[in-house]
């Protein structure tokens, strides 16, 4: 579910210290039934375990196929256009102890690079000729006493070209990409992350007993 940008800025995330020159593009929340306060690393590992573009809906696969084809033809994704090329990695701004947390993060085959991972938040980045993008994940208690995942996309477009590109893909993000991502991430939690909460004190409250 898309939520206000203030839902991201109101949290005391470490990412705020290093992204003053980025803008908040999107903020979304994802359900995690039966999740507890210490389950953020479990959720992150579940997302990476479930990552498989072959399982994406046909519309999503088509959009990304077009994007990667254009990138290859126009040189959007070459090493010179990316991190340590056109843009410096945000990792260069991090304190050494924070940057080192990325070394222990579970690897993933997606295009993003690790920045850091703490007990309740993590950040990953991607750079190309269009934009420098930070994907921030955070773990937040809900009003019902459960926990949910928050994802914020922080971007720094590459000049006018980058701003036009972001404006062009906006309807595709909202109508196709994010709805599919919501289904995939919530399913990843159910399939790979959801712990067994039944203890002597009873199970954790469920966000939706029908799940």
């Amino acid at each position: 579910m898309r939520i206000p940008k203030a839902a991201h800025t109101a949290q005391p995330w470490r990412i705020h210290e290093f992204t003053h020159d980025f803008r908040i593009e999107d903020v979304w929340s994802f359900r995690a039934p039966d999740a507890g306060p210490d389950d953020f690393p479990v959720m992150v590992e579940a997302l990476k375990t479930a990552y498989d573009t072959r399982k994406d809906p046909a519309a999503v696969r088509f959009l990304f196929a077009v994007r990667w084809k254009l990138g290859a033809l126009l040189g959007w994704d070459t090493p010179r256009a990316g991190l340590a090329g056109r843009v410096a990695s945000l990792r260069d701004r991090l304190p050494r102890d924070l940057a080192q947390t990325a070394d222990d993060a579970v690897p993933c085959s997606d295009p993003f690079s690790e920045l850091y991972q703490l007990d309740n938040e993590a950040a990953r980045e991607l750079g190309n000729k269009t934009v420098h993008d930070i994907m921030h994940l955070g773990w937040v208690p809900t009003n019902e006493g459960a926990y949910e995942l928050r994802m914020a996309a922080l971007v720094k477009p590459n000049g006018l070209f980058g701003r036009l590109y972001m404006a062009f893909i906006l309807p595709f993000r909202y109508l196709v990409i994010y709805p599919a991502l919501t289904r995939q991430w919530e399913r990843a939690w159910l399939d790979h992350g959801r712990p067994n909460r039944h203890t002597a004190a009873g199970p954790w409250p469920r966000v939706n007993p029908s799940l």
Side-chain angles (χ1 to χ4, degrees):
M1 180 176 65
R2 187 183 178 201
I3 58 178
K5 296 177 182 178
H8 174 74
T9 58
Q11 296 292 330
W13 305 127
R14 294 293 306 275
I15 194 67
H16 300 321
E17 302 171 26
F18 317 106
T19 53
H20 299 295
D21 51 341
F22 286 74
R23 77 186 191 201
I24 303 173
E25 190 72 17
D26 299 304
V27 183
W28 288 68
S29 66
F30 304 86
R31 296 175 301 168
D34 296 329
D38 301 322
D39 285 332
F40 178 66
V42 178
M43 169 61 99
V44 173
E45 183 172 356
L47 297 181
K48 293 180 178 181
T49 300
Y51 178 75
D52 186 349
T53 58
R54 295 171 299 179
K55 297 180 181 178
D56 289 340
V60 174
R61 295 199 307 271
F62 173 77
L63 288 175
F64 276 104
V66 171
R67 165 59 183 84
W68 299 130
K69 184 65 174 180
L70 285 174
L73 291 173
L74 301 176
W76 291 353
D77 305 307
T78 64
R80 292 184 60 185
L83 301 175
R86 184 186 69 81
V87 296
S89 170
L90 190 68
R91 196 168 179 177
D92 295 341
R93 307 184 188 182
L94 304 181
R96 183 179 179 83
D97 61 332
L98 189 61
Q100 286 179 332
T101 64
D103 297 335
D104 297 325
V106 175
C108 186
S109 58
D110 69 6
F112 284 83
S113 299
E114 304 291 342
L115 284 171
Y116 66 86
Q117 182 172 327
L118 304 176
D119 292 338
N120 66 339
E121 67 169 303
R124 310 179 74 219
E125 68 177 337
L126 180 150
N128 54 44
K129 195 171 184 178
T130 63
V131 70
H132 187 184
D133 181 23
I134 307 298
M135 178 175 65
H136 180 267
L137 302 176
W139 201 234
V140 180
T142 68
N143 293 332
E144 293 78 24
Y147 278 77
E148 68 180 15
L149 182 71
R150 300 266 181 91
M151 188 278 292
L154 313 175
V155 302
K156 187 192 298 184
N158 183 17
L160 177 60
F161 169 66
R163 292 193 294 273
L164 291 174
Y165 173 81
M166 293 301 297
F168 175 75
I169 68 172
L170 186 146
F172 299 106
R173 294 202 318 270
Y174 288 169
L175 297 177
V176 180
I177 303 298
Y178 281 128
L181 189 69
T182 298
R183 292 190 293 271
Q184 291 170 350
W185 283 16
E186 293 182 352
R187 175 52 56 184
W189 168 256
L190 297 177
D191 291 346
H192 301 286
R194 187 182 202 171
N196 182 1
R197 290 300 180 196
H198 291 276
T199 65
W204 285 82
R206 302 172 74 93
V207 175
N208 186 340
S210 66
L211 291 176

